[in-house]
Amino acid sequence: DTEVTQTPKHLVMGMTNKKSLKCEQHMGHRAMYWYKQKAKKPPELMFVYSYEKLSINESVPSRFSPECPNSSLLNLHLHALQPEDSALYLCASSQGRIRKNQPQHFGDGTRLSIL
Amino acid sequence: ELKVEQNPLFLSMQEGKNYTIYCNYSTTSDRLYWYRQDPGKSLESLFVLLSNGAVKQEGRLMASLDTKARLSTLHITAAVHDLSATYFCAVDPGLFNFGNEKLTFGTGTRLTIIP
């Protein structure tokens, strides 16, 4: 069981569809993250939200649109994705750099397949 | 650009043996993390290393950090099958002061313990 909850666990969508990935944490963490992980590769950072404001965008294509409605929720809106976007999308949260000895906590991920 | 390299990429070892995974990184950093990932699963935090000479142990795993050499090691003692997984190190260069971290993950080491 993880303290970061992601839904859905699996998602299959066509290239013209619009869908959203959701992430929720109730640990009081003020930093939330989206990562993309391709098979047999390390996670790659996409976005970071700090205190509900976008602080890092790692040059992610605009077909990915993050949103942080409140301190517990993080969404990733998907539109017009490409087959190469198929991957495991991981959400994480942390206390941020103020708590040096605390790691990021990861959700179980959403496995996304683009047809 | 921060580069984080691990070796070996693949490691197959017999139960009861000892081995070490190495993590090298290219710029200064004030913190390093080790994570474990089982196939199709999320990332589980193992260790947080914050200072030069830091050593942490949990069960059969021990991690250390040499910030001057920009090197961390994950040592496995008397391996058991349950330790089969992919292990990632992750480095935060500490360049961002917005309350969040920017982790760069190593290439990963896929460890298989053979009975």
Side-chain angles (χ1 to χ4, degrees), chain A residues 11-93:
Chain A
L11 179 62
V12 180
M13 58 187 287
M15 289 190 284
T16 59
N17 292 155
K18 286 185 180 180
K19 296 285 185 183
S20 297
L21 309 185
K22 297 186 183 301
C23 175
E24 187 169 3
Q25 58 89 13
H26 294 288
M27 294 178 282
H29 289 172
R30 304 317 298 261
M32 296 187 76
Y33 310 79
W34 280 115
Y35 290 86
K36 174 182 178 180
Q37 186 178 25
K38 300 284 278 185
K40 303 187 193 321
K41 297 292 186 183
E44 294 179 344
L45 184 65
M46 300 174 71
F47 302 104
V48 182
Y49 273 82
S50 179
Y51 293 88
E52 302 164 44
K53 295 189 186 306
L54 182 64
S55 62
I56 296 177
N57 177 343
E58 288 289 90
S59 302
V60 179
S62 60
R63 57 186 184 269
F64 295 91
S65 176
E67 177 195 20
C68 188
N70 59 56
S71 60
S72 299
L73 294 175
L74 186 66
N75 298 322
L76 186 62
H77 302 299
L78 314 173
H79 175 54
L81 295 194
Q82 303 298 308
E84 61 265 28
D85 297 323
S86 297
L88 179 68
Y89 288 83
L90 292 163
C91 173
S93 70

XYZ file of all heavy atoms in Angstrom, chain A residues 11-93:
668
model
N -4.678 2.801 -18.434
C -5.451 3.652 -19.328
C -5.007 3.381 -20.752
O -3.813 3.439 -21.057
C -5.253 5.131 -18.975
C -5.979 6.151 -19.848
C -7.484 5.952 -19.752
C -5.612 7.569 -19.436
N -6.000 3.077 -21.602
C -5.757 2.921 -23.023
C -6.543 4.010 -23.724
O -7.744 4.172 -23.476
C -6.203 1.535 -23.526
C -5.936 1.404 -25.023
C -5.476 0.424 -22.765
N -5.896 4.771 -24.565
C -6.590 5.855 -25.252
C -6.064 6.016 -26.673
O -4.923 5.665 -26.981
C -6.467 7.163 -24.468
C -5.058 7.628 -24.204
S -4.984 9.076 -23.107
C -5.567 10.375 -24.184
N -6.946 6.547 -27.504
C -6.566 6.850 -28.867
C -5.869 8.196 -28.933
O -5.889 8.987 -27.977
N -5.254 8.462 -30.047
C -4.460 9.686 -30.191
C -5.323 10.950 -30.198
O -4.809 12.043 -29.977
C -3.601 9.597 -31.456
C -2.455 8.598 -31.324
S -1.283 8.691 -32.675
C -2.219 7.867 -33.958
N -6.620 10.808 -30.415
C -7.469 12.005 -30.441
C -8.234 12.209 -29.138
O -8.960 13.187 -28.986
C -8.469 11.917 -31.602
O -9.268 10.733 -31.435
C -7.740 11.861 -32.939
N -8.077 11.266 -28.216
C -8.831 11.350 -26.960
C -8.270 12.411 -26.016
O -7.109 12.812 -26.126
C -8.804 10.005 -26.229
C -9.579 8.922 -26.959
O -9.317 7.740 -26.799
N -10.547 9.315 -27.765
N -9.118 12.798 -25.060
C -8.685 13.616 -23.921
C -8.972 12.827 -22.658
O -10.108 12.377 -22.455
C -9.467 14.931 -23.864
C -9.102 15.959 -24.888
C -9.872 17.250 -24.622
C -9.545 18.328 -25.632
N -10.286 19.581 -25.381
N -7.977 12.696 -21.833
C -8.137 11.992 -20.567
C -7.311 12.707 -19.502
O -6.471 13.566 -19.814
C -7.656 10.539 -20.676
C -8.450 9.667 -21.631
C -9.792 9.294 -21.044
C -10.514 8.311 -21.980
N -11.865 7.979 -21.466
N -7.531 12.311 -18.252
C -6.760 12.887 -17.142
C -6.285 11.804 -16.199
O -7.009 10.836 -15.938
C -7.619 13.884 -16.357
O -7.992 14.971 -17.156
N -5.073 11.994 -15.704
C -4.538 11.156 -14.638
C -4.666 11.941 -13.332
O -4.462 13.159 -13.310
C -3.072 10.811 -14.892
C -2.705 10.248 -16.267
C -1.221 9.862 -16.275
C -3.579 9.091 -16.643
N -4.957 11.187 -12.271
C -5.159 11.846 -10.983
C -4.214 11.282 -9.936
O -3.890 10.084 -9.943
C -6.602 11.682 -10.518
C -7.599 12.342 -11.447
C -8.997 12.294 -10.908
C -9.986 12.895 -11.883
N -9.697 14.307 -12.208
N -3.824 12.147 -9.020
C -2.912 11.778 -7.941
C -3.379 12.482 -6.672
O -3.721 13.673 -6.704
C -1.492 12.195 -8.296
S -0.281 11.930 -6.981
N -3.361 11.747 -5.563
C -3.826 12.320 -4.303
C -2.921 11.873 -3.164
O -2.508 10.708 -3.107
C -5.268 11.876 -4.031
C -5.920 12.543 -2.850
C -7.418 12.261 -2.783
O -7.923 11.492 -3.630
O -8.080 12.807 -1.890
N -2.599 12.801 -2.278
C -1.832 12.453 -1.074
C -2.390 13.238 0.098
O -2.848 14.368 -0.062
C -0.330 12.745 -1.273
C 0.023 14.173 -1.614
C 0.266 15.077 -0.419
O 0.416 14.621 0.712
N 0.335 16.381 -0.665
N -2.347 12.603 1.259
C -2.861 13.226 2.480
C -1.800 13.201 3.573
O -2.111 13.011 4.748
C -4.144 12.525 2.925
C -5.277 12.716 1.973
N -5.938 13.903 1.816
C -5.843 11.850 1.087
C -6.878 13.773 0.885
N -6.838 12.544 0.423
N -0.557 13.401 3.158
C 0.549 13.427 4.114
C 0.955 14.853 4.459
O 1.934 15.062 5.177
C 1.748 12.672 3.541
C 1.465 11.184 3.370
S 2.853 10.290 2.641
C 2.655 10.734 0.919
N 0.240 15.830 3.908
C 0.584 17.219 4.164
C 1.806 17.681 3.393
O 2.398 18.711 3.726
N 2.186 16.926 2.381
C 3.340 17.310 1.569
C 3.004 18.516 0.703
O 1.895 18.624 0.174
C 3.774 16.138 0.686
C 4.407 15.024 1.457
N 4.729 13.806 0.873
C 4.796 14.936 2.751
C 5.294 13.030 1.788
N 5.335 13.683 2.933
N 3.988 19.403 0.537
C 3.729 20.622 -0.221
C 4.375 20.609 -1.599
O 4.232 21.560 -2.352
C 4.208 21.846 0.563
C 3.587 21.957 1.958
C 2.099 21.643 1.971
N 1.305 22.543 1.163
C 0.625 23.579 1.668
N 0.688 23.838 2.947
N -0.085 24.354 0.874
N 5.104 19.562 -1.910
C 5.695 19.419 -3.238
C 5.135 18.153 -3.873
O 5.071 17.103 -3.239
C 7.218 19.332 -3.156
N 4.724 18.265 -5.138
C 4.201 17.112 -5.865
C 4.822 17.070 -7.254
O 5.134 18.114 -7.839
C 2.668 17.160 -5.945
C 2.014 17.068 -4.565
S 0.230 16.927 -4.598
C 0.007 15.201 -5.079
N 4.991 15.852 -7.761
C 5.804 15.632 -8.941
C 5.112 14.674 -9.910
O 4.431 13.737 -9.484
C 7.141 14.982 -8.545
C 7.889 15.660 -7.409
C 7.513 15.448 -6.084
C 8.979 16.481 -7.656
C 8.190 16.050 -5.036
C 9.672 17.084 -6.609
C 9.272 16.867 -5.311
O 9.960 17.466 -4.276
N 5.332 14.890 -11.197
C 4.987 13.901 -12.216
C 6.273 13.416 -12.871
O 7.130 14.224 -13.256
C 4.092 14.489 -13.313
C 2.644 14.603 -12.957
C 1.915 15.737 -12.824
C 1.729 13.521 -12.719
N 0.612 15.442 -12.510
C 0.476 14.091 -12.440
C 1.846 12.127 -12.718
C -0.660 13.319 -12.157
C 0.723 11.368 -12.436
C -0.509 11.963 -12.163
N 6.369 12.083 -13.005
C 7.465 11.442 -13.705
C 6.909 10.551 -14.802
O 5.819 9.992 -14.669
C 8.278 10.543 -12.756
C 9.103 11.246 -11.712
C 8.539 11.610 -10.483
C 10.440 11.527 -11.918
C 9.293 12.240 -9.511
C 11.216 12.147 -10.945
C 10.631 12.502 -9.751
O 11.390 13.125 -8.781
N 7.719 10.364 -15.836
C 7.413 9.412 -16.898
C 8.496 8.328 -16.876
O 9.685 8.641 -16.786
C 7.424 10.115 -18.263
C 7.271 9.194 -19.461
C 7.346 9.996 -20.752
C 7.244 9.104 -21.991
N 7.314 9.907 -23.251
N 8.058 7.073 -16.932
C 9.020 5.977 -16.928
C 8.720 5.013 -18.074
O 7.675 4.368 -18.084
C 9.022 5.234 -15.592
C 10.122 4.176 -15.507
C 10.170 3.466 -14.170
O 9.179 3.377 -13.456
N 11.343 2.953 -13.812
N 9.653 4.918 -19.006
C 9.551 3.933 -20.079
C 10.108 2.606 -19.553
O 10.879 2.564 -18.590
C 10.347 4.398 -21.299
C 9.884 5.725 -21.878
C 8.624 5.609 -22.671
C 8.866 5.133 -24.072
N 7.611 5.141 -24.885
N 9.726 1.541 -20.233
C 10.118 0.202 -19.796
C 11.639 0.083 -19.707
O 12.366 0.505 -20.600
C 9.563 -0.850 -20.745
N 12.095 -0.459 -18.601
C 13.507 -0.738 -18.352
C 14.374 0.524 -18.310
O 15.588 0.463 -18.529
C 14.065 -1.716 -19.391
C 13.307 -3.025 -19.463
C 13.990 -4.010 -20.377
C 13.150 -5.210 -20.752
N 12.314 -5.774 -19.726
N 13.747 1.671 -18.052
C 14.459 2.942 -17.950
C 14.179 3.587 -16.599
O 13.217 3.231 -15.929
C 14.010 3.887 -19.072
C 14.334 3.391 -20.473
C 15.825 3.389 -20.717
C 16.142 3.026 -22.158
N 17.612 2.962 -22.386
N 15.008 4.547 -16.191
C 14.719 5.252 -14.941
C 13.594 6.259 -15.122
O 13.303 6.683 -16.252
C 16.034 5.975 -14.635
C 16.696 6.131 -15.955
C 16.298 4.943 -16.780
N 12.958 6.656 -14.040
C 11.944 7.722 -14.128
C 12.581 9.027 -14.589
O 13.710 9.350 -14.221
C 11.425 7.846 -12.693
C 11.809 6.570 -12.023
C 13.072 6.135 -12.682
N 11.806 9.787 -15.378
C 12.264 11.093 -15.839
C 11.278 12.148 -15.344
O 10.065 12.015 -15.547
C 12.327 11.139 -17.369
C 13.371 10.215 -17.962
C 13.387 10.277 -19.479
O 12.413 10.781 -20.080
O 14.378 9.802 -20.077
N 11.803 13.179 -14.729
C 10.963 14.236 -14.187
C 10.268 14.998 -15.302
O 10.884 15.343 -16.312
C 11.821 15.191 -13.355
C 11.084 16.307 -12.630
C 10.156 15.743 -11.561
C 12.079 17.289 -12.031
N 8.951 15.242 -15.084
C 8.186 16.052 -16.046
C 7.852 17.422 -15.435
O 8.167 18.451 -16.013
C 6.892 15.333 -16.415
C 7.075 13.973 -17.058
S 5.501 13.141 -17.308
C 4.772 14.106 -18.630
N 7.169 17.391 -14.312
C 6.687 18.627 -13.679
C 6.880 18.550 -12.170
O 6.823 17.471 -11.589
C 5.188 18.826 -13.942
C 4.790 18.896 -15.380
C 4.174 17.817 -15.992
C 4.996 20.059 -16.122
C 3.784 17.874 -17.320
C 4.609 20.126 -17.446
C 4.009 19.032 -18.053
N 7.055 19.738 -11.574
C 7.085 19.853 -10.123
C 6.168 20.988 -9.711
O 6.245 22.088 -10.276
C 8.500 20.136 -9.576
C 8.470 20.199 -8.058
C 9.487 19.079 -10.036
N 5.324 20.722 -8.732
C 4.517 21.751 -8.110
C 5.001 21.961 -6.671
O 5.227 20.993 -5.947
C 3.034 21.362 -8.087
C 2.289 21.753 -9.330
C 2.347 20.957 -10.464
C 1.540 22.921 -9.369
C 1.667 21.318 -11.608
C 0.856 23.295 -10.514
C 0.926 22.489 -11.641
O 0.261 22.846 -12.778
N 5.147 23.207 -6.308
C 5.535 23.541 -4.955
C 4.528 24.524 -4.405
O 4.312 25.582 -5.011
C 6.941 24.150 -4.933
O 7.310 24.500 -3.630
N 3.909 24.180 -3.290
C 2.867 25.022 -2.713
C 1.838 25.399 -3.780
O 1.428 26.564 -3.894
C 3.479 26.266 -2.062
C 4.302 25.927 -0.844
C 5.655 25.614 -0.954
C 3.728 25.902 0.426
C 6.401 25.268 0.162
C 4.475 25.571 1.548
C 5.799 25.254 1.397
O 6.552 24.920 2.509
N 1.447 24.401 -4.550
C 0.370 24.488 -5.547
C 0.712 25.344 -6.748
O -0.165 25.634 -7.569
C -0.930 24.976 -4.878
C -1.374 24.064 -3.743
C -2.401 24.706 -2.824
O -3.335 25.334 -3.367
O -2.268 24.588 -1.597
N 1.960 25.725 -6.876
C 2.383 26.501 -8.040
C 3.394 25.681 -8.840
O 4.284 25.035 -8.268
C 3.010 27.825 -7.620
C 2.042 28.774 -6.938
C 2.666 30.139 -6.754
C 1.769 31.059 -5.930
N 0.420 31.156 -6.492
N 3.273 25.759 -10.157
C 4.204 25.046 -11.024
C 5.580 25.683 -10.910
O 5.749 26.873 -11.183
C 3.715 25.094 -12.475
C 4.559 24.339 -13.493
C 4.553 22.838 -13.220
C 4.075 24.629 -14.912
N 6.566 24.891 -10.494
C 7.904 25.446 -10.334
C 8.899 24.870 -11.327
O 9.923 25.490 -11.609
C 8.416 25.231 -8.909
O 8.519 23.853 -8.613
N 8.635 23.682 -11.840
C 9.525 23.101 -12.842
C 8.684 22.456 -13.939
O 7.761 21.686 -13.654
C 10.477 22.042 -12.232
C 11.421 22.680 -11.217
C 11.280 21.347 -13.331
C 12.342 21.683 -10.523
N 9.009 22.762 -15.173
C 8.468 22.093 -16.349
C 9.680 21.691 -17.168
O 10.398 22.546 -17.680
C 7.558 23.035 -17.142
C 7.037 22.410 -18.420
O 7.560 21.415 -18.915
N 5.996 22.996 -18.982
N 9.915 20.399 -17.268
C 11.107 19.912 -17.942
C 10.903 19.850 -19.456
O 11.099 18.811 -20.094
C 11.491 18.530 -17.398
C 12.053 18.566 -16.000
C 13.441 19.176 -15.955
O 13.533 20.409 -15.785
O 14.433 18.430 -16.084
N 10.490 20.987 -20.010
C 10.298 21.081 -21.469
C 9.386 19.982 -21.990
O 9.654 19.360 -23.033
C 11.652 21.013 -22.194
O 12.503 22.044 -21.749
N 8.305 19.755 -21.274
C 7.353 18.714 -21.645
C 6.423 19.255 -22.736
O 5.981 20.404 -22.656
C 6.531 18.280 -20.417
C 5.504 17.214 -20.790
C 7.466 17.767 -19.317
N 6.116 18.449 -23.754
C 5.203 18.915 -24.821
C 3.860 19.364 -24.257
O 3.375 18.828 -23.247
C 5.047 17.674 -25.713
C 6.255 16.854 -25.450
C 6.635 17.097 -24.028
N 3.245 20.310 -24.940
C 2.009 20.912 -24.431
C 0.822 19.961 -24.457
O -0.227 20.270 -23.879
C 1.668 22.164 -25.246
O 1.496 21.814 -26.602
N 0.957 18.810 -25.074
C -0.119 17.825 -25.026
C -0.271 17.226 -23.611
O -1.251 16.545 -23.320
C 0.091 16.719 -26.059
C 1.402 15.971 -25.952
C 1.535 14.990 -27.129
N 2.725 14.158 -27.063
C 3.878 14.495 -27.613
N 4.001 15.635 -28.282
N 4.929 13.682 -27.502
N 0.703 17.501 -22.751
C 0.603 17.173 -21.327
C 0.376 18.471 -20.569
O 1.192 19.401 -20.669
C 1.888 16.528 -20.818
C 2.197 15.193 -21.433
C 2.967 15.100 -22.580
C 1.713 14.025 -20.861
C 3.257 13.858 -23.142
C 2.000 12.785 -21.411
C 2.768 12.703 -22.554
N -0.694 18.532 -19.788
C -1.027 19.756 -19.073
C -1.271 19.437 -17.608
O -2.262 18.794 -17.258
C -2.276 20.390 -19.693
O -2.672 21.525 -18.957
N -0.373 19.875 -16.717
C -0.558 19.566 -15.305
C -1.478 20.580 -14.645
O -1.652 21.710 -15.117
C 0.861 19.686 -14.750
C 1.482 20.758 -15.591
C 0.885 20.610 -16.958
N -2.044 20.141 -13.519
C -2.913 21.021 -12.737
C -2.832 20.597 -11.286
O -2.826 19.397 -10.985
C -4.361 20.901 -13.232
C -5.358 21.733 -12.434
C -6.800 21.317 -12.690
O -7.020 20.177 -13.165
O -7.690 22.121 -12.382
N -2.784 21.581 -10.402
C -2.753 21.276 -8.971
C -3.911 22.035 -8.313
O -3.731 23.182 -7.882
C -1.414 21.677 -8.369
S -1.166 21.146 -6.663
N -5.086 21.433 -8.210
C -6.266 22.135 -7.690
C -6.140 22.528 -6.215
O -6.685 23.549 -5.804
C -7.399 21.122 -7.872
C -6.888 20.115 -8.828
C -5.411 20.084 -8.669
N -5.455 21.696 -5.444
C -5.203 22.033 -4.040
C -3.971 21.262 -3.575
O -3.377 20.499 -4.350
C -6.427 21.740 -3.163
C -6.850 20.292 -3.210
O -6.049 19.393 -2.931
N -8.102 20.041 -3.577
N -3.626 21.417 -2.324
C -2.356 20.855 -1.852
C -2.333 19.339 -1.817
O -1.269 18.744 -1.676
C -2.050 21.397 -0.452
O -3.080 21.038 0.451
N -3.488 18.703 -1.957
C -3.538 17.244 -1.882
C -3.694 16.575 -3.240
O -3.539 15.365 -3.339
C -4.713 16.787 -0.995
O -4.582 17.267 0.308
N -4.021 17.343 -4.249
C -4.376 16.768 -5.547
C -3.452 17.266 -6.652
O -3.067 18.441 -6.677
C -5.822 17.127 -5.907
C -6.921 16.534 -5.042
C -8.272 17.090 -5.450
C -6.920 15.013 -5.148
N -3.161 16.367 -7.558
C -2.369 16.711 -8.735
C -2.967 15.960 -9.921
O -3.225 14.760 -9.834
C -0.905 16.290 -8.532
C 0.095 16.698 -9.613
C 0.246 18.205 -9.663
C 1.454 16.038 -9.351
N -3.229 16.694 -10.989
C -3.787 16.079 -12.200
C -2.803 16.232 -13.350
O -1.973 17.159 -13.360
C -5.106 16.751 -12.592
C -6.179 16.603 -11.536
O -6.292 15.564 -10.894
N -6.955 17.650 -11.340
N -2.929 15.332 -14.298
C -2.188 15.457 -15.544
C -3.176 15.249 -16.676
O -3.701 14.148 -16.863
C -1.044 14.430 -15.627
C -0.109 14.571 -16.823
C 0.610 15.923 -16.792
C 0.915 13.434 -16.844
N -3.464 16.327 -17.404
C -4.433 16.275 -18.489
C -3.708 15.910 -19.789
O -2.643 16.480 -20.087
C -5.147 17.620 -18.622
C -5.849 18.047 -17.376
N -6.873 17.314 -16.798
C -5.649 19.124 -16.557
C -7.289 17.907 -15.713
N -6.564 19.017 -15.532
N -4.315 14.972 -20.505
C -3.688 14.413 -21.701
C -4.547 14.709 -22.922
O -5.778 14.528 -22.880
C -3.537 12.898 -21.548
C -2.988 12.390 -20.216
C -3.058 10.865 -20.153
C -1.574 12.879 -20.006
N -3.924 15.149 -23.989
C -4.682 15.443 -25.214
C -3.782 15.257 -26.420
O -2.673 15.764 -26.458
C -5.217 16.868 -25.170
C -5.892 17.282 -26.434
N -6.918 16.558 -27.009
C -5.685 18.340 -27.259
C -7.322 17.158 -28.109
N -6.589 18.241 -28.291
N -4.325 14.516 -27.411
C -3.610 14.311 -28.665
C -2.234 13.701 -28.445
O -1.222 14.178 -28.977
C -3.499 15.621 -29.445
N -2.206 12.639 -27.638
C -0.925 11.993 -27.358
C -0.456 11.154 -28.540
O -1.246 10.786 -29.417
C -1.041 11.111 -26.111
C -1.309 11.841 -24.797
C -1.068 10.905 -23.618
C -0.467 13.085 -24.649
N 0.821 10.857 -28.517
C 1.464 10.071 -29.556
C 1.803 8.678 -29.016
O 1.935 8.502 -27.791
C 2.750 10.768 -30.010
C 2.529 12.185 -30.519
C 1.633 12.210 -31.733
O 1.879 11.496 -32.705
N 0.565 13.003 -31.671
N 1.974 7.703 -29.885
C 2.308 6.344 -29.405
C 3.547 6.309 -28.510
O 3.604 5.521 -27.565
C 2.536 5.563 -30.707
C 1.663 6.249 -31.707
C 1.726 7.708 -31.341
N 4.505 7.199 -28.758
C 5.721 7.209 -27.937
C 5.476 7.722 -26.523
O 6.370 7.661 -25.665
C 6.830 8.047 -28.596
C 6.494 9.486 -28.808
C 5.954 9.762 -30.209
O 5.360 8.840 -30.813
O 6.143 10.906 -30.685
N 4.273 8.223 -26.276
C 3.922 8.662 -24.924
C 3.474 7.498 -24.042
O 3.235 7.694 -22.834
C 2.816 9.716 -24.967
C 3.251 10.975 -25.689
O 4.435 11.370 -25.536
O 2.421 11.561 -26.413
N 3.342 6.328 -24.622
C 2.995 5.144 -23.824
C 4.104 4.892 -22.809
O 5.284 4.797 -23.168
C 2.838 3.921 -24.737
O 1.776 4.096 -25.645
N 3.710 4.790 -21.551
C 4.701 4.664 -20.469
C 3.969 4.497 -19.152
O 2.738 4.529 -19.092
C 5.599 5.899 -20.401
N 4.737 4.331 -18.095
C 4.210 4.366 -16.731
C 4.375 5.798 -16.220
O 5.479 6.350 -16.269
C 4.983 3.393 -15.840
C 4.578 3.312 -14.369
C 3.182 2.694 -14.218
C 5.602 2.493 -13.573
N 3.287 6.400 -15.769
C 3.340 7.757 -15.246
C 3.230 7.687 -13.728
O 2.236 7.201 -13.180
C 2.243 8.622 -15.857
C 2.568 8.926 -17.300
C 2.258 8.014 -18.309
C 3.250 10.096 -17.648
C 2.601 8.264 -19.631
C 3.593 10.350 -18.972
C 3.272 9.422 -19.955
O 3.628 9.667 -21.260
N 4.259 8.199 -13.085
C 4.363 8.124 -11.637
C 4.159 9.503 -11.023
O 4.717 10.497 -11.503
C 5.738 7.601 -11.221
C 6.029 6.144 -11.567
C 7.526 5.872 -11.499
C 5.296 5.205 -10.638
N 3.403 9.528 -9.966
C 3.233 10.736 -9.163
C 4.019 10.552 -7.871
O 4.116 9.429 -7.342
C 1.759 10.948 -8.864
S 1.382 12.301 -7.720
N 4.578 11.616 -7.367
C 5.299 11.551 -6.095
C 5.006 12.811 -5.298
O 4.594 13.839 -5.850
C 6.801 11.408 -6.319
N 5.229 12.729 -4.002
C 5.090 13.908 -3.163
C 6.207 13.912 -2.124
O 6.788 12.867 -1.817
C 3.721 13.945 -2.476
O 3.621 12.927 -1.488
